[in-house]
Amino acid sequence: MPETGAVPYVSFVTWGRNDGYTDDYLSRMEKALGCLIRQLEAQSPGMLGSILFVGPDGEHLRSCIAPSLPAALSTALVTVPIGPDMGSCGTAAWLRAPVFVSDIRTDPRWANHLGIPGLEGLRACWSHPVINSEREVLATLGMYYKEPKKPNEEELKVIERVTAILKIILENRQKAEIIAEASIDRKS
């Protein structure tokens, strides 16, 4: 049984100016992750991808990178509670396990979220948490479809590969933050 509940905060989502990174660095990181999502979408016709990051409170997913999702849905996904029955991504982060919802309209994890702007027209949502070496959830990879759909074996392999790539990218970002903080401490 996976450990569930509040997720320890892992600082990755601070896309602001006060985190020691230049706007150029943050822009490149966001573009790289957007590129990764677009490549996933190209390999999976009809799929719309997203990455949501664990927020500072450890209780919400924040900062959506979703280049192809409807703008209204991307905006709604900026703050997603982590917990049971919180759609696919909030539930996946809470369970620390993949969640495959083949039909959003009938799945109880989505029952309280069917009115989210931009969700109309989307029928399936699969989510896989990105978990670092310390078992902390860093983010979720979300995949939306316009028709009810279950993942096949090949799609499961692709999801695992992309999640592994995201883990490497996000853990490297964590390490860069630690180095930056150590450098700032030495200068003080």
Side-chain angles (χ1 to χ4, degrees):
M1 182 86 174
E3 180 185 338
T4 58
V7 176
Y9 171 61
V10 178
S11 176
F12 177 77
V13 212
T14 321
W15 296 104
R17 298 176 188 269
N18 298 325
D19 62 359
Y21 293 96
T22 65
D23 288 339
D24 181 55
Y25 174 83
L26 296 174
S27 176
R28 285 182 294 149
M29 178 65 78
E30 189 170 3
K31 284 179 187 173
L33 294 174
C35 235
L36 181 65
I37 290 297
R38 287 196 187 280
Q39 288 176 347
L40 177 61
E41 291 171 342
Q43 289 181 8
S44 308
M47 189 271 287
L48 307 172
S50 70
I51 302 170
L52 298 175
F53 304 95
V54 173
D57 63 3
E59 296 179 7
H60 292 85
L61 297 170
R62 301 186 186 274
S63 296
C64 180
I65 294 179
S68 302
L69 281 180
L73 182 56
S74 292
T75 300
L77 293 177
V78 168
T79 302
V80 174
I82 294 172
D85 301 327
M86 291 297 163
S88 300
C89 294
T91 304
W94 187 73
L95 292 173
R96 292 178 170 80
V99 170
F100 299 104
V101 172
S102 60
D103 192 343
I104 290 170
R105 293 182 192 167
T106 61
D107 193 285
R109 292 168 285 205
W110 279 90
N112 296 322
H113 311 288
L114 295 176
I116 293 175
L119 190 60
E120 59 278 347
L122 298 176
R123 293 292 303 274
C125 181
W126 311 337
S127 183
H128 200 296
V130 180
I131 300 172
N132 69 10
S133 303
E134 287 79 39
R135 300 274 313 135
E136 299 166 318
V137 178
L138 304 174
T140 60
L141 171 65
M143 293 138 287
Y144 294 83
Y145 291 88
K146 294 181 179 181
E147 70 280 338
K149 182 173 173 56
K150 293 180 182 179
N152 61 38
E153 284 300 314
E154 186 58 34
E155 289 167 326
L156 291 171
K157 289 177 187 174
V158 170
I159 293 166
E160 288 293 329
R161 283 194 299 266
V162 172
T163 302
I165 292 168
L166 277 171
K167 176 184 173 186
I168 292 167
I169 292 169
L170 300 182
E171 281 190 315
N172 283 341
R173 168 73 195 273
Q174 280 184 302
K175 290 173 185 167
E177 285 180 346
I178 291 167
I179 292 168
E181 286 176 16
S183 296
I184 290 170
D185 288 345
R186 274 195 222 151
K187 291 178 184 176
S188 300

